[in-house]
Amino acid sequence: MQQRLAVRLFNAAQRLAQRLGRRPLPFADSEAALLEAARRASGLDDFGDAAFREPLRVLLRAYDEEARLSPFGRMLARQGLVDILNSRLLVQRGWRENPKALSAPIRRPVFILGLPRTGTTALHHLLACDPANQVLEYWLAAAPGPRPPVADWPGDPRYRKAVRDLRTIYYLDPGLKAIHLLTADGPEECRHLFLQSFLDDTFDSNATIPSYTKWFAQQDMRPAYARHRDVLRLIQAPAPERRWVLKYPAHLRHLDVLLETYPDACIVQTHRDPARLLPSLCSLVSGWRSLYEDGLDRRAIGRWQLEMWSTLMLGAMRVRASEASQRFFDLHFRELVADPIAAVRRLYARFDLELTPDAERRMRDWQRENPQGRHGEHRYSAEPYGISEGEIAERFAPYTDHFAVERELAPNR
């Protein structure tokens, strides 16, 4: 309550300033100022290929014309854009200083994907326990560079900023911890690497920007995936022999490009009853968006999420039908919940990977230290989002029938 009061007071003060004539600069007119802010923050000036400017401009126009950003949300959005531009600057410097990194191979990366809220995060954390694997830690996802020794992380300004940023997010909405917990040193989705191209679902998850959403769906993602690969090459430079384990449900949207970019990738797809996961996902999107926007339209969020994920799943199924089946491993949520270690053993066997006793011990330790509900209970229902279980089941029927996804009889609350 105290946190929300602070945000309301900030918004009220900013609106008063606007009535007195001090109106904020439109996003569309602030491109040069955003780039300059990133230059000042980093002391760098090479943003690389200028192709990122077009998607940035589409996004800025959408913020002006469609988003319902509160004054506090405008501040968050602006700072987020500066941080993304700063990450581009850091990557360009990293490539200049480590030119050999770009020729290093990425061998048989493991990608975890599937509908959100299907156990992808828990599986990601489990696989991160294996010393043979490397994951994209949150702080390096936000500010990439060659991964330093773990002992040096607390003294790195990028790490300390990540800690502060996450502390602020959970201060503003402590309930988000129960929905999706992030830590600076923990594994994070590789969405941050697409943010550098200003081509990602994160933007319209945080704000109502349908023109950007429509434009983004029509873009060729090959250059963005090429940058994704080359940023990973930079981060892995100190230990290129370790196997990457990466996670991002939205890879379903561009599964064909993912497989083209990483031709020997091992794909883990998780499965769960959409009628159980979709309300949870809507709750998560609403939580994040409430930090940015006034007057949430939860019914619109529900319709959008239902349409988006059912469409993405059908597209991914078409891609899978044209690919060799040995590239994929299907893992059902019920299996992961019932016996996580057994599920990991099956995954490793599917891709002929070695699961050492030490790695299994570390996984069991993580499982014991992170029981479900450790950070509170996530309560949600479909009703506020205007979507019924019957409608969800109908839209996802081709998916649930094909993968034999069982119905969950009771809501997971």
Side-chain angles (χ1 to χ4, degrees):
M1 183 65 70
Q2 182 179 358
Q3 298 92 329
R4 291 295 184 182
L5 177 60
V7 172
R8 287 198 294 270
L9 289 174
F10 177 90
N11 287 336
Q14 293 299 307
R15 291 191 178 102
L16 176 60
Q18 291 178 26
R19 285 197 293 271
L20 295 175
R22 296 194 290 273
R23 296 193 175 277
L25 184 70
F27 278 98
D29 295 336
S30 63
E31 180 182 343
L34 292 170
L35 269 63
E36 181 57 30
R39 292 188 186 100
R40 288 198 308 270
S42 64
L44 304 170
D45 62 5
D46 179 11
F47 289 98
D49 188 337
F52 76 91
R53 302 285 283 268
E54 180 186 3
L56 172 59
R57 288 164 185 164
V58 173
L59 177 62
L60 295 178
R61 287 196 299 271
Y63 278 155
D64 282 333
E65 297 171 5
E66 298 165 329
R68 298 189 291 266
L69 295 173
S70 66
F72 189 78
R74 289 183 63 87
M75 182 184 72
L76 285 180
R78 183 186 184 282
Q79 186 57 53
L81 295 172
V82 173
D83 288 345
I84 293 167
L85 291 166
N86 186 59
S87 73
R88 284 191 65 93
L89 292 167
L90 293 173
V91 166
Q92 295 302 133
R93 180 182 67 181
W95 286 339
R96 287 195 307 272
E97 295 177 349
N98 301 270
K100 292 183 179 179
L102 290 174
S103 60
I106 294 178
R107 296 188 177 91
R108 299 194 73 205
V110 176
F111 283 88
I112 302 169
L113 49 89
L115 293 170
R117 321 305 291 168
T118 57
T120 55
T121 299
L123 181 60
H124 198 196
H125 278 270
L126 283 171
L127 298 189
C129 296
D130 187 344
N133 297 333
Q134 60 179 318
V135 295
L136 187 62
E137 293 87 1
Y138 181 92
W139 75 279
L140 282 173
R147 183 185 290 108
V150 174
D152 295 345
W153 292 6
D156 193 304
R158 296 170 298 163
Y159 181 86
R160 294 199 299 269
K161 181 180 185 305
V163 171
R164 291 194 304 271
D165 288 349
L166 291 175
R167 185 183 297 131
T168 299
I169 288 172
Y170 293 123
Y171 172 80
L172 292 171
D173 191 346
L176 285 173
K177 274 190 176 183
I179 306 176
H180 188 66
L181 178 67
L182 296 171
T183 61
D185 58 353
E188 166 61 333
E189 294 177 338
C190 49
R191 64 185 178 86
H192 292 263
L193 309 189
F194 297 119
L195 292 177
Q196 292 187 25
S197 300
F198 293 94
L199 292 167
D200 187 67
D201 294 271
T202 299
F203 298 112
D204 55 8
S205 290
N206 290 344
T208 307
I209 45 174
S211 62
Y212 173 87
T213 303
K214 182 178 180 181
W215 179 87
F216 168 50
Q218 300 169 349
Q219 301 312 299
D220 179 1
M221 287 292 287
R222 287 174 179 82
Y225 269 87
R227 186 177 184 92
H228 178 284
R229 178 195 60 214
D230 289 346
V231 175
L232 294 181
R233 285 170 165 164
L234 174 65
I235 294 170
Q236 74 172 11
E241 70 283 353
R242 295 173 67 203
R243 176 176 54 246
W244 276 104
V245 176
L246 300 150
K247 170 243 180 181
Y248 190 26
H251 283 307
L252 287 169
R253 184 193 294 273
H254 307 290
L255 183 56
D256 54 343
V257 182
L258 171 68
L259 296 173
E260 179 183 319
T261 307
Y262 298 96
D264 61 349
C266 304
I267 308 297
V268 181
Q269 185 169 352
T270 53
H271 303 283
R272 187 184 182 189
D273 179 6
R276 298 282 72 79
L277 67 89
L278 202 67
S280 175
L281 176 57
C282 290
S283 175
L284 175 60
V285 171
S286 296
W288 285 115
R289 190 174 283 190
S290 67
L291 297 176
Y292 288 79
E293 288 197 331
D294 287 330
L296 285 185
D297 186 342
R298 286 180 170 79
R299 296 180 72 86
I301 289 174
R303 306 309 308 175
W304 167 49
Q305 291 292 295
L306 175 63
E307 174 65 25
M308 182 179 77
W309 288 106
S310 60
T311 300
L312 295 193
M313 182 55 73
L314 290 176
M317 289 172 62
R318 287 192 291 270
V319 174
R320 282 197 58 168
S322 65
E323 294 287 339
S325 61
Q326 62 265 27
R327 303 190 67 175
F328 298 89
F329 173 75
D330 293 298
L331 178 60
H332 289 259
F333 181 74
R334 64 180 185 277
E335 300 175 76
L336 185 60
V337 171
D339 193 335
I341 303 303
V344 170
R345 286 199 198 106
R346 288 208 309 113
L347 187 161
Y348 272 56
R350 181 72 176 85
F351 296 125
D352 195 25
L353 307 176
E354 181 185 7
L355 180 60
T356 66
D358 177 57
E360 184 171 325
R361 177 186 60 78
R362 291 167 183 259
M363 292 179 189
R364 291 189 183 278
D365 288 345
W366 182 88
Q367 182 186 358
R368 183 176 58 256
E369 295 166 5
N370 294 273
Q372 188 174 11
R374 176 186 175 190
H375 297 282
E377 185 178 5
H378 177 204
R379 296 182 176 275
Y380 57 87
S381 69
E383 184 178 359
Y385 304 100
I387 49 178
S388 68
E389 290 193 12
E391 185 177 15
I392 297 171
E394 181 180 356
R395 290 297 300 273
F396 283 93
Y399 159 68
T400 54
D401 291 347
H402 181 79
F403 290 105
V405 179
E406 294 183 356
R407 294 291 303 273
E408 293 181 25
L409 299 180
N412 180 22
R413 295 185 180 177

